[in-house]
Amino acid sequence: MKILFTEDRKNQAAIEKVAKLSNSIYSQKGEGPFYHIHTFGCQMNDHDSERMAALLELMGYEYTEDETRASLILLNTCAIREHAEERVYGFIGRLKSLKENDLIIGVCGCMVQQKHVLDKIKKSYPYVDMVFGTHNYYQLPIYLLKALEGEKSISVLEDSPRIVEELPAIRASKISAFVNIMEGCNNFCTYCVVPYTRGREKSRLPEDIIKEVKGLVEEGTREITLLGQNVNSYGRGLEEEVDFPELLNRLNEIECLYRIRFMTSHPKDLSDRLIEAMKLEKMAPSFHLPVQSGSTRVLKMMNRKYTREDYLDKVYKLRQALPHIGLTTDIIVGFPGEELEDLEATISLIEEVGYDSAFTFIYSKRLGTPAAGYEDKLDYEEKHRRFDRMLGKLNEIVIEKNHSRLGQVFEVLVEEETEAGIYQGRTPQGFLVRFPGSREDLGQLRDVKITRTKNFSLEGEICH
Ligand code: SAH
Ligand code: SF4
Ligand code: F3S
């Protein structure tokens, strides 16, 4: 079920009222009220923040880097690991000293979807003015209006059957843009909090996605990254029979769009049809395929629904179809019950696949997840020792692969100027490269020769 952003009357009325207030501030001071958003977590949160920024600017707010100038500070939070949550609490604590004036503080995102977090905010941080969750963040205008009228609000929904369409967004990059294709997750990996913070899986209609992408391309976007917790299961529950490979086929037809990327994929749902779709003209040959562990025993305890052999088989098929594909992954070390031989299995899988890079994590216990109840005999030091061993091997491989790129030429989409005269973009495989360039290169595909490799980065020159 979907709802158009403009159909939520109460929200629209709040937008108008807040806009009037900020307009009167603007006419007195010559500048609108300022907002600052601090985003933690993954691309989902980044993109939600892009949407909240657009809502605020619609209401006359202006962005500031400087928290001390802001009349509104929003923290868009992440609950994936304990460390992420601790950082947020630290941040909210620091904001107390800024609270004196008329500052409004809002906390939203994945963390507040958990009851124990709401209780802690109410008890320990009473100066927070508004708390709202991942299913109703687009109603920020309603909560902001209340806060401006001196009323606090806590509004968190467990889930929502609705997808909101036609929300505006102010994207970090015009050239390479995030596009959500689905929300939520139904996989319930035993360590993961996301199914509880983002609700059940819901796919957007293909026509809504295509409309959004066409609109972006008209404004100069050349690359899109399709977002979802498990994009491979896109389309389940939609009336029209359309799956992820079919969606890619349709997006591939859009003129002036150069590249299509996506994240994340679950290995259990990586089909032969998707491998075939990877050969489409605009598909970037790059694949983020989180393995989590190389041990079938641990994968079973994680409820990942594939074995080490299934995973390696899919990697083999991907490489057969696209020999130069970039492969990246996520790895968790120290899952409860992990034995040394399981760690060895993860290390040998890393060697066998030869990843281009990986996000690596030490297992973090998350309240409310099944694994939180598993017996965990490993102490902190042992987990760190194991993590360092795994990372040592991974880095060896990643660094060697990176150095082997010296002298190679890649087609790079030029995305941004990072310092005067130095530009940056990605190769089809997703490797970031920096090189001297000019404004005319922005948004263009350029052949770049790698002239210098560092351990984890690449520098080059445009071939003329
Ligand atoms: N939906 C994506 C990833 C979501 S979270 C997928 O399934 O691939 C990103 C990564 O965080 C996960 O892939 C996992 O490696 C890590 N992660 C999630 N929960 C964790 C936990 N409790 N402890 C440590 N790492 C975790
Ligand atoms: Fe979490 Fe697993 Fe869903 Fe990824 S697929 S978001 S790891 S439950
Ligand atoms: Fe964190 Fe929520 Fe993303 S928990 S990783 S911000 S979906």
Side-chain angles (χ1 to χ4, degrees):
M1 192 172 102
K2 74 169 182 184
I3 173 188
L4 294 187
F5 162 64
T6 45
E7 283 170 358
D8 186 332
R9 294 262 171 80
K10 207 174 156 203
N11 203 30
Q12 293 297 323
I15 289 177
E16 277 175 32
K17 283 189 186 158
V18 178
K20 260 192 204 145
L21 286 173
S22 53
N23 210 350
S24 69
I25 295 176
Y26 186 87
S27 47
Q28 283 165 26
K29 292 192 183 168
E31 55 186 24
F34 288 101
Y35 74 95
H36 180 86
I37 305 183
H38 198 93
T39 309
F40 301 81
C42 68
Q43 288 85 357
M44 301 280 161
N45 263 15
D46 287 336
H47 191 42
D48 291 351
S49 289
E50 291 179 341
R51 299 222 181 264
M52 288 192 283
L55 287 174
L56 290 168
E57 299 204 6
L58 205 62
M59 293 183 284
Y61 276 72
E62 292 175 32
Y63 179 72
T64 177
E65 244 334 294
D66 178 2
E67 291 156 24
T68 61
R69 278 183 87 195
S71 341
L72 168 66
I73 298 180
L74 279 181
L75 301 186
N76 194 3
T77 63
C78 171
I80 202 81
R81 281 169 295 277
E82 197 177 351
H83 177 66
E85 293 200 350
E86 277 161 6
R87 281 179 58 210
V88 169
Y89 286 131
F91 210 111
I92 311 179
R94 272 205 298 116
L95 290 183
K96 192 174 183 192
S97 61
L98 294 176
K99 184 61 191 168
E100 280 150 29
N101 354 348
D102 292 333
L103 174 66
I104 291 172
I105 299 175
V107 183
C108 58
C110 287
M111 242 173 102
V112 304
Q113 292 295 133
Q114 309 169 99
K115 187 173 174 303
H116 66 274
V117 173
L118 285 183
D119 292 343
K120 179 156 177 173
I121 292 179
K122 275 188 237 169
K123 193 166 154 251
S124 310
Y125 309 99
Y127 51 88
V128 170
D129 302 283
M130 45 186 197
V131 178
F132 49 94
T134 54
H135 303 292
N136 54 348
Y137 74 89
Y138 73 97
Q139 289 178 322
L140 163 64
I142 294 177
Y143 313 124
L144 179 57
L145 180 61
K146 274 194 187 166
L148 289 166
E149 290 167 347
E151 201 185 319
K152 282 185 194 295
S153 52
I154 295 190
S155 181
V156 176
L157 309 175
E158 204 173 296
D159 203 346
S160 160
R162 305 191 304 190
I163 285 204
V164 186
E165 287 296 343
E166 300 194 0
L167 266 173
I170 292 179
R171 289 174 156 88
S173 161
K174 199 176 114 180
I175 293 160
S176 177
F178 291 137
V179 176
N180 249 335
I181 61 166
M182 57 204 299
E183 291 172 6
C185 180
N186 286 356
N187 287 318
F188 292 95
C189 303
T190 55
Y191 50 82
C192 182
V193 80
V194 172
Y196 312 94
T197 63
R198 292 267 165 182
R200 293 294 63 73
E201 193 180 287
K202 295 180 281 284
S203 294
R204 289 178 69 193
L205 296 174
E207 56 268 31
D208 288 331
I209 298 169
I210 287 164
K211 187 173 164 197
E212 181 176 353
V213 175
K214 282 187 173 163
L216 286 167
V217 169
E218 262 168 39
E219 284 169 23
T221 294
R222 294 292 169 256
E223 175 181 271
I224 51 166
T225 302
L226 305 172
L227 293 182
Q229 291 299 349
N230 177 16
V231 290
N232 299 358
S233 59
Y234 171 80
R236 274 183 212 157
L238 288 182
E239 241 167 67
E240 184 191 359
E241 255 190 52
V242 42
D243 60 3
F244 187 52
E246 172 57 24
L247 178 69
L248 294 178
N249 269 283
R250 294 187 195 178
L251 290 167
N252 189 58
E253 298 299 313
I254 296 177
E255 273 175 42
C256 296
L257 175 66
Y258 296 165
R259 276 182 189 168
I260 305 170
R261 301 185 184 280
F262 54 85
M263 70 187 314
T264 308
S265 311
H266 195 302
K268 77 175 161 60
D269 298 316
L270 169 50
S271 63
D272 290 346
R273 262 170 65 70
L274 177 54
I275 296 180
E276 209 38 50
M278 290 300 295
K279 295 182 194 157
L280 290 166
E281 182 202 344
K282 293 178 183 171
M283 292 308 300
S286 114
F287 218 106
H288 184 66
L289 194 61
V291 66
Q292 314 300 356
S293 167
S295 152
T296 298
R297 199 179 73 84
V298 172
L299 289 170
K300 192 145 193 267
M301 292 194 288
M302 290 176 161
N303 190 31
R304 290 290 286 179
K305 300 195 176 82
Y306 54 87
T307 63
R308 171 192 178 96
E309 289 70 31
D310 295 336
Y311 184 91
L312 287 172
D313 187 47
K314 294 196 178 179
V315 167
Y316 175 78
K317 283 185 178 162
L318 270 173
R319 285 228 168 98
Q320 241 190 354
L322 299 152
H324 301 293
I325 195 165
L327 272 178
T328 56
T329 198
D330 294 350
I331 291 166
I332 299 177
V333 168
F335 186 78
E338 180 194 86
E339 303 286 347
L340 267 179
E341 63 197 38
D342 299 314
L343 177 76
E344 300 296 348
T346 298
I347 294 174
S348 75
L349 180 129
I350 291 172
E351 286 179 296
E352 212 166 322
V353 176
Y355 291 107
D356 294 292
S357 73
F359 296 110
T360 52
F361 311 102
I362 292 182
Y363 168 74
S364 170
K365 185 171 165 173
R366 305 287 60 215
L367 217 66
T369 61
Y374 297 176
E375 192 188 359
D376 190 0
K377 284 189 248 164
L378 295 181
D379 61 23
Y380 178 83
E381 281 74 27
E382 175 59 13
K383 283 188 184 179
H384 272 265
R385 262 197 302 278
R386 290 187 182 186
F387 181 79
D388 290 345
R389 260 188 68 195
M390 181 280 299
L391 194 60
K393 178 47 80 183
L394 175 74
N395 282 347
E396 231 176 72
I397 292 167
V398 170
I399 291 169
E400 192 190 320
K401 288 191 92 163
N402 206 42
H403 284 304
S404 75
R405 293 176 188 128
L406 188 69
Q408 292 184 21
V409 176
F410 293 96
E411 190 178 57
V412 171
L413 176 64
V414 187
E415 280 180 49
E416 62 173 325
E417 185 177 21
T418 53
E419 57 188 275
I422 301 296
Y423 287 74
Q424 157 172 299
R426 284 182 192 275
T427 71
Q429 296 80 358
F431 317 140
L432 212 53
V433 191
R434 282 157 51 83
F435 46 87
S438 64
R439 286 204 66 77
E440 291 79 64
D441 297 318
L442 276 175
Q444 304 298 322
L445 292 169
R446 298 280 189 244
D447 283 337
V448 174
K449 183 173 183 176
I450 306 302
T451 50
R452 187 162 177 224
T453 59
K454 296 191 186 162
N455 284 351
F456 299 103
S457 63
L458 298 171
E459 290 172 17
E461 277 166 18
I462 295 178
C463 307
H464 290 287

